[in-house]
Amino acid sequence: MLPKERRDSGQNDLFRARLDQIVDLKHALARLGRAIDWRFLEERCGAVYTDAPGHPPLSDEALCERWVENPYYQLFCGEEFFRHDLPFDRSSMTRWRQRMGEEKLNALLQESLASAVRTGAAKPVDFTSAIVDTTVQPKAVAYPTDARLMHRSRERLVRLANTLGIELRQSYARVGKIALIKHQRYAHAKQFKRAGKALRTLKTYLGRVIRDMVRKAKGDAELEAAVAHELMLARRVHAGNRNLNRVKGLPKDADLRVFSLHAPEVECIGKGKAHKPYEFGVTVSVATTINRSKGGQFVTHIQALPGKPYDGHTLETVIPAIEAQVGATLSRIIADAGYKGHNAPQTHRFKVYTAGQKRGMTEHIKRQMRRRSAIEPVIGHLKEDHRMGRNHLAGITGDAVNAVLAAVGYNFRRILAWIRFCVAIIWAALALSKRLDPIFEASNC
């Protein structure tokens, strides 16, 4: 169904108290709610809703519990009266994210920047230059090992066979678990010959289940289609992710390795970190302002980039997206040395400056280059405070949505901090004036 419009009726209720009468309207959330252009968000996000039947509406259980308990959250979301129950089902949050997608949710990021300008936390000129960097958004998967993947793949095939009514010759449930335990114990004790023998046993069990399922499904088109995807993943795991055949429709350099069976889109990315040589997730491009605004460092653009692209080759799509997001032409882009040899659009080819560059560097640009590392703490806050450090949303769409929502939450948190700071200054000024009034009166006497 269509979301409720944010419209204040101004009416009172005999049995319920209005939220604007029981909360402090000077609270940061109340001020932020008045600063956001809700009609713009209703027009952009409400387009995916319909009143037709069969189209389910909007779980983050902790968020729903906080909403019921917190009157400021309810006022921010447009409620007139305090509610003791949820206006929607908890599972609606998942459906809402899936329906919005990355394109619609970018309207939230755009509105967060507009709200920063309205509240005075930032100026439009702040968004005419940007720092660009990439990071890894890890997926919520266990560290992939051959033994664990083979064991899990066999279990998934057996479970699928039971669901489809396929009678397997043997499931290897008991001996497969024993072989996995042996492998883990031998590997921990650094007895690698014995661990290798246990791994070959797991590989044998998986191969037998694969061949048994192929034989039982052969000749039945429906069964073959139902088991095709799971068998494809199992064959890649059985091959040890080595010497994999190319798949039609995918690029020649596409990574066909499987690092997680429930999230096959996960990629292995090495950023050269000593403490974390490999990360399993997706590459994300992040852009922030160069100069620190009054309200802090705002995220102007964020985008998940599957396929492990080279950093410099991301600017071709990222720069136009940043300009569309902020509604202004970028005059300067600062990046690290990983962006050398970039493919920025011709109009911006000489506006991109990378670390270590000598040609065309003026004193003003050198000072701005020293601000390049300001994006690193922003990325840290996105990961630690806004759930980009471990993505639990499913699929490629979940990777993109999680990154955008993390940036939206970060920007609105910056605006809330700015509003609290302004309110604190006002209260401090009023308190100081009250203290000085008796002094002035005494001096006048």
Side-chain angles (χ1 to χ4, degrees):
M1 61 180 179
L2 289 172
K4 187 190 73 172
E5 292 186 16
R6 291 179 56 90
R7 188 173 298 167
D8 190 356
S9 64
Q11 297 179 354
N12 294 321
D13 193 294
L14 181 62
F15 303 101
R16 295 185 297 173
R18 289 182 57 88
L19 283 171
D20 54 8
Q21 295 176 354
I22 63 175
V23 303
D24 181 12
L25 294 180
K26 296 178 182 177
H27 190 274
L29 268 178
R31 289 172 175 264
L32 180 59
R34 294 195 296 270
I36 295 175
D37 186 0
W38 293 103
R39 192 168 296 279
F40 166 75
L41 295 179
E42 288 167 3
E43 291 175 357
R44 293 290 298 272
C45 299
V48 300
Y49 284 86
T50 177
D51 288 325
H55 199 177
L58 306 175
S59 146
D60 298 350
E61 190 170 344
L63 175 63
C64 294
E65 290 176 356
R66 289 183 185 180
W67 191 92
V68 173
E69 297 170 354
N70 198 321
Y72 289 101
Y73 283 6
Q74 297 189 19
L75 179 66
F76 178 77
C77 293
E79 294 291 337
E80 288 188 79
F81 302 97
F82 184 78
R83 298 189 59 153
H84 300 273
D85 59 338
L86 285 171
F88 49 79
D89 187 72
R90 286 172 176 169
S91 61
S92 299
M93 296 293 293
T94 302
R95 298 192 184 101
W96 176 79
R97 284 192 294 260
Q98 292 172 348
R99 187 179 304 172
M100 288 298 162
E102 182 184 14
E103 183 181 356
K104 295 291 182 184
L105 288 176
N106 271 321
L108 289 174
L109 183 58
Q110 190 175 0
E111 181 57 30
S112 69
L113 299 176
S115 300
V117 174
R118 292 192 203 102
T119 56
K123 298 178 181 178
V125 71
D126 295 339
F127 305 133
T128 58
S129 55
I131 307 172
V132 181
D133 199 3
T134 60
T135 186
V136 179
Q137 178 180 246
K139 198 82 166 183
V141 298
Y143 190 87
T145 61
D146 288 341
R148 185 67 178 172
L149 284 173
M150 289 181 185
H151 177 71
R152 289 292 298 158
S153 182
R154 182 194 54 77
E155 285 185 334
R156 288 168 65 95
L157 285 177
V158 171
R159 191 183 307 120
L160 179 62
N162 292 334
T163 303
L164 298 176
I166 300 176
E167 272 193 44
L168 296 177
R169 188 176 62 87
Q170 190 173 349
S171 67
Y172 303 97
R174 183 180 62 85
V175 292
K177 184 177 180 180
I178 293 173
L180 177 64
I181 293 173
K182 284 184 177 181
H183 175 274
Q184 292 173 337
R185 288 177 177 174
Y186 289 144
H188 179 70
K190 293 184 173 58
Q191 299 179 11
F192 297 116
K193 286 187 178 180
R194 291 177 173 177
K197 184 178 179 180
L199 178 61
R200 289 192 294 273
T201 302
L202 288 168
K203 185 175 181 179
T204 300
Y205 295 158
L206 176 59
R208 289 176 181 175
V209 173
I210 290 174
R211 291 189 293 273
D212 197 9
M213 285 198 70
V214 171
R215 285 193 299 268
K216 298 293 175 59
K218 191 174 182 180
D220 191 330
E222 290 186 4
L223 278 180
E224 287 180 349
V227 301
H229 179 70
E230 202 65 41
L231 282 176
M232 179 266 295
L233 296 178
R235 287 191 178 109
R236 293 183 184 179
V237 171
H238 184 262
N241 283 328
R242 289 184 287 271
N243 302 323
L244 302 178
N245 297 325
R246 285 175 48 198
V247 179
K248 290 183 179 180
L250 293 180
K252 292 182 180 179
D253 57 347
D255 193 352
L256 302 178
R257 295 176 295 174
V258 177
F259 300 105
S260 175
L261 293 166
H262 75 273
E265 71 278 358
V266 167
E267 300 166 344
C268 178
I269 303 169
K271 283 282 189 178
K273 301 175 183 177
H275 64 286
K276 196 179 293 184
Y278 300 102
E279 295 178 274
F280 299 92
V282 66
T283 302
V284 174
S285 173
V286 182
T288 66
T289 55
I290 292 180
N291 298 320
R292 188 182 186 279
S293 306
K294 291 181 179 180
Q297 202 86 3
F298 287 95
V299 177
T300 56
H301 177 262
I302 193 167
Q303 183 179 357
L305 302 169
K308 300 191 295 186
Y310 168 64
D311 287 358
H313 293 168
T314 63
L315 292 182
E316 185 178 13
T317 57
V318 166
I319 290 178
I322 296 174
E323 293 183 338
Q325 192 81 2
V326 301
T329 303
L330 292 177
S331 60
R332 189 162 296 136
I333 301 101
I334 303 296
D336 61 12
Y339 283 79
K340 289 181 179 178
H342 58 80
N343 63 345
Q346 289 292 335
T347 54
H348 297 76
R349 187 61 57 88
F350 299 104
K351 297 179 180 179
V352 179
Y353 296 88
T354 59
Q357 181 175 332
K358 303 296 183 183
R359 185 175 298 176
M361 298 292 288
T362 63
E363 290 299 324
H364 179 63
I365 297 175
K366 288 180 181 178
R367 286 196 298 271
Q368 288 188 328
M369 284 297 298
R370 287 194 286 270
R371 287 282 304 164
R372 193 215 62 81
S373 59
I375 195 173
E376 301 299 341
V378 174
I379 293 174
H381 283 297
L382 288 173
K383 288 188 173 184
E384 293 297 326
D385 303 332
H386 299 281
R387 302 186 181 182
M388 210 176 86
R390 191 168 176 84
N391 176 26
H392 292 267
L393 303 186
I396 298 176
T397 304
D399 293 335
V401 166
N402 190 72
V404 174
L405 289 177
V408 171
Y410 172 83
N411 283 351
F412 278 125
R413 177 173 282 190
R414 290 286 88 225
I415 299 173
L416 286 172
W418 166 252
I419 292 174
R420 293 190 186 101
F421 175 72
C422 293
V423 172
I425 289 179
I426 294 173
W427 281 111
L430 292 174
L432 182 62
S433 64
K434 289 181 180 179
R435 290 181 182 179
L436 293 178
D437 282 343
I439 299 175
F440 289 145
E441 290 177 1
S443 63
N444 291 333
C445 293

